[in-house]
Amino acid sequence: MVAAPPGAGAPGGGPPVTADVALGALRCLAADRSFGEDGFAGWYGTRAECVRAALDALLAGVDSPSLGRLAGLGRNELDAVDELFDSVLEELGLVPLTPESVAAARWTMARWWAGRIVRGNLDAVDGARLILDRAACELEGPRPEVFAPFGDVLGELWDEGRGDVPASREQRDALVAAARRLAGGAAPPRPRP
């Protein structure tokens, strides 16, 4: 089995992945893959992450004929991901992708990561990066204000000469507070006409 990417699954006794979160993750992977020229070429849509998302979906009670086969692929079988992933998307009715369905999936993932930060199941800095990089930055239109505190703190943690610097207690507290607001249900913006 392949290793989980940061923030995937619910290791260490964290909250279980719900069916909505699992389907959101699969939909986000499908959207990210559609932007790559040769399938899973992007930094987010890797084959290993697709296998992990399939495993999370199975554990959440989602089922389709190809999902179990996809979830069971090992490292030396990742060439089979593309075909199985396409089958899973079709079987679960996740395609065709629409801007609304992808935006809803990204909001679902952002809220789930925020909830994990609040519960202490995900490091606040790692979670903020996931929320910004994999959800907020991919939403169309202007970025909603609920994401601003994550960007502010992560910006403070970047030093041009040294790269990332350690987060202070105050910065971590600010990230947890922002995560609490996001997990609490900040409304997603209306899709553009």
Side-chain angles (χ1 to χ4, degrees):
M1 191 59 58
V2 294
V17 174
T18 65
D20 286 342
V21 169
L23 293 172
L26 290 169
R27 189 171 273 130
C28 287
L29 283 165
D32 293 337
R33 176 182 170 205
S34 70
F35 293 115
E37 292 178 15
D38 58 351
F40 289 103
W43 57 269
Y44 179 59
T46 68
R47 287 177 174 91
E49 285 180 278
C50 187
V51 172
R52 179 57 194 221
L55 178 59
D56 286 344
L58 277 178
L59 293 173
V62 176
D63 196 17
S64 81
S66 301
L67 190 63
R69 294 195 335 246
L70 178 60
L73 292 178
R75 291 180 200 271
N76 61 344
E77 301 172 303
L78 293 180
D79 288 342
V81 166
D82 293 322
E83 184 177 334
L84 284 171
F85 188 66
D86 287 339
S87 296
V88 166
L89 294 175
E90 289 289 332
E91 294 162 5
L92 295 176
L94 298 177
V95 289
L97 296 171
T98 64
E100 294 81 15
S101 68
V102 173
R106 295 203 189 282
W107 275 97
T108 297
M109 297 307 299
R111 285 193 179 106
W112 185 67
W113 286 317
R116 292 193 66 214
I117 292 169
V118 170
R119 288 184 294 276
N121 301 117
L122 179 61
D123 176 75
V125 174
D126 291 341
R129 285 191 181 112
L130 286 169
I131 289 166
L132 282 184
D133 294 346
R134 296 186 176 191
C137 288
E138 298 298 328
L139 291 169
E140 292 186 21
R143 186 180 304 164
E145 273 304 303
V146 71
F147 296 117
F150 297 106
D152 293 344
V153 172
L154 290 179
E156 293 169 8
L157 296 177
W158 180 254
D159 180 295
E160 280 297 319
R162 301 182 320 184
D164 286 337
V165 295
S168 69
R169 183 82 222 139
E170 294 79 23
Q171 289 167 320
R172 288 186 178 281
D173 289 346
L175 290 174
V176 172
R180 188 171 285 111
R181 284 189 298 278
L182 177 58
R190 290 257 189 238
R192 291 187 285 171

